[in-house]
């Protein structure tokens, strides 16, 4: 019955997505279709409504709308230019300085805003004019901007990691946040290495002259209030001063005060930010509620156990099983957004990795890392297409460079998958494991 239910879910879900049905409705309808083979229609509908309510009534969900609002406030708060100036002052002498600056600023801005697409749009717009003036290849610039933007989704505070915590049944958010730093840095450094390689081949040079410590000091002071958001929120959560939910509310207050001090947020823009954040939060929370039906159906029909038995039946090697999972997640990530993919694949694969002793925190980072790659991979690849638009380039021009970035990013994925200390080192040092 398990495999039959899984087949129904996949077929119905794929058909509805092809027809253009919103992902939340598609997930709910496919789950109900699977359960109808064993439960009457009236019972399944009532059960589905109950599971949506249960899924949406978790107090920890409050953190997601708050972090979204904080991110949107920071997007409008004038911090992108300060971060670009800071990274440029720090790394300006590196070959291909503007490319490296783009990557570093994307990591910082994406972590603060919680959106890879927002980072690609904001930071890409800031460096685009300078890159053109210095004769940089627009396709290379767009590829660099798109490839590096998802690093911020791994560096906390991260809505993707909060969503995974909920889908995994309450995995420590503080542990996930700490675990995200090293993979996020690996992604960033991998992109920087590829950018420097491309810069050498193109003959791009960094700024000349000695290191300007005075300029670095001024740029650091201007960027410090924005960077402090990460320190305040994550430090408080990890240190046990406040919970992730309380930290998200503090992030909103901090971002609002910062935006007002920078004089980039007016009453009208604040209202627009609240409306947009409410719309986005409603979609995500409803999606989480509907996915709770899918989780219940999977548990009822024992789909995770069947998948685990099937994978373990193919091979007993955790190395091979993890490789198969990565391939599946990479493919799925090319046509699914991060949030629904987390909600679908967590209950499928988490029991499998737990069967051979993998920590749920490590699997959560592997899952999010895979889906971040999908964020910059056609045919969906929202962040990649934002970068192409901002960089005034084309997909055909960008893809040759993207292949180089994919290579180094995938090497980071292998490191994260097969070397547990990459994700678990910091949580262990902090005593969270």
């Amino acid at each position: 019955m398990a495999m039959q239910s899984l087949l129904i879910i996949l077929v119905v879900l794929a058909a509805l997505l092809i027809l253009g049905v919103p992902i939340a409705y598609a997930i709910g309808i496919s789950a109900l279709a699977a359960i109808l083979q064993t439960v009457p229609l009236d019972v399944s509908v009532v059960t589905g409504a109950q599971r949506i309510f249960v899924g949406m009534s978790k107090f920890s969900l409050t953190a997601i709308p708050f972090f979204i609002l904080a991110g949107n406030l920071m997007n409008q708060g004038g911090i992108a230019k300060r971060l670009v100036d800071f990274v440029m002052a720090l790394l300006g002498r590196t070959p291909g300085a503007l490319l490296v600056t783009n990557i570093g600023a994307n990591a910082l801005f994406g972590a603060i805003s919680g959106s890879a697409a927002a980072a690609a749009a904001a930071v890409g717009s800031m460096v685009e004019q300078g890159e053109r003036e210095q004769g940089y290849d627009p396709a290379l610039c767009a590829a660099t901007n798109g490839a590096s933007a998802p690093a911020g989704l791994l560096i906390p505070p991260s809505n993707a990691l909060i969503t995974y915590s909920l889908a995994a049944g309450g995995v420590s958010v503080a542990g996930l946040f700490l675990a995200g730093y090293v993979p996020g840095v690996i992604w960033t450094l991998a992109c920087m290495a590829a950018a420097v390689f491309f810069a050498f081949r193109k003959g791009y040079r960094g700024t000349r002259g000695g290191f300007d410590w005075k300029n670095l000091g001024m740029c650091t002071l201007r960027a410090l209030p924005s960077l402090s958001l990460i320190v305040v929120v994550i430090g408080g959560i990890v240190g046990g001063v406040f919970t992730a939910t309380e930290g998200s509310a503090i992030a909103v207050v901090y971002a609002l005060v910062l935006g007002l001090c920078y004089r980039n947020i007016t009453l009208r823009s604040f209202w627009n930010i609240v409306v947009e954040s409410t719309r986005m939060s409603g979609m995500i929370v409803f999606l989480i509620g509907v996915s709770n039906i899918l989780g219940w159906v999977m548990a009822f029909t024992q789909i995770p156990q069947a998948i685990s038995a099937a994978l373990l039946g193919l091979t007993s090697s955790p190395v091979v099983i993890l490789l198969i999972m990565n391939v599946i997640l990479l493919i799925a990530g090319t046509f699914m957004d991060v949030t629904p993919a987390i909600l679908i694949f967590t209950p499928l694969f988490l029991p499998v990795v737990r069967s051979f002793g993998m920590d749920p925190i490590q699997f959560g980072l592997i899952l999010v890392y895979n889906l971040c790659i999908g964020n910059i991979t056609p045919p969906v690849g929202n962040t990649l297409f934002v970068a192409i638009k901002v960089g005034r380039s084309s997909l055909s021009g960008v893809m040759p460079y993207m292949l180089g970035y994919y290579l180094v990013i995938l090497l980071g994925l292998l490191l994260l998958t097969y070397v547990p200390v990459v994700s678990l080192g910091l949580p262990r040092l902090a005593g969270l494991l």
Side-chain angles (χ1 to χ4, degrees), residues 213-288:
W213 289 101
K214 182 179 179 181
N215 182 49
L216 175 61
M218 292 179 60
C219 291
T220 301
L221 287 175
R222 292 183 71 231
L224 195 59
S226 304
L227 296 173
S228 297
L229 173 67
I230 301 177
V231 178
V232 170
V233 174
I234 306 307
I237 293 172
V238 173
V241 179
F242 42 75
T243 65
T245 304
E246 293 165 344
S248 65
I250 291 171
V252 170
V253 176
Y254 189 102
L256 180 59
V257 171
L258 202 60
L260 292 173
C261 290
Y262 289 160
R263 298 182 180 180
N264 289 308
I265 295 179
T266 63
L267 185 61
R268 179 176 183 139
S269 66
F270 178 71
W271 173 253
N272 292 333
I273 290 168
V274 171
V275 170
E276 177 59 27
S277 301
T278 302
R279 184 182 295 113
M280 189 183 304
S281 301
M283 290 189 295
I284 293 176
V285 172
F286 180 65
L287 180 58
I288 291 173

Side-chain angles (χ1 to χ4, degrees), residues 21-37:
V21 176
I23 183 68
Y25 298 127
I27 290 175
I29 294 170
S30 61
L32 290 176
I35 200 62
L36 280 175
Q37 60 180 322

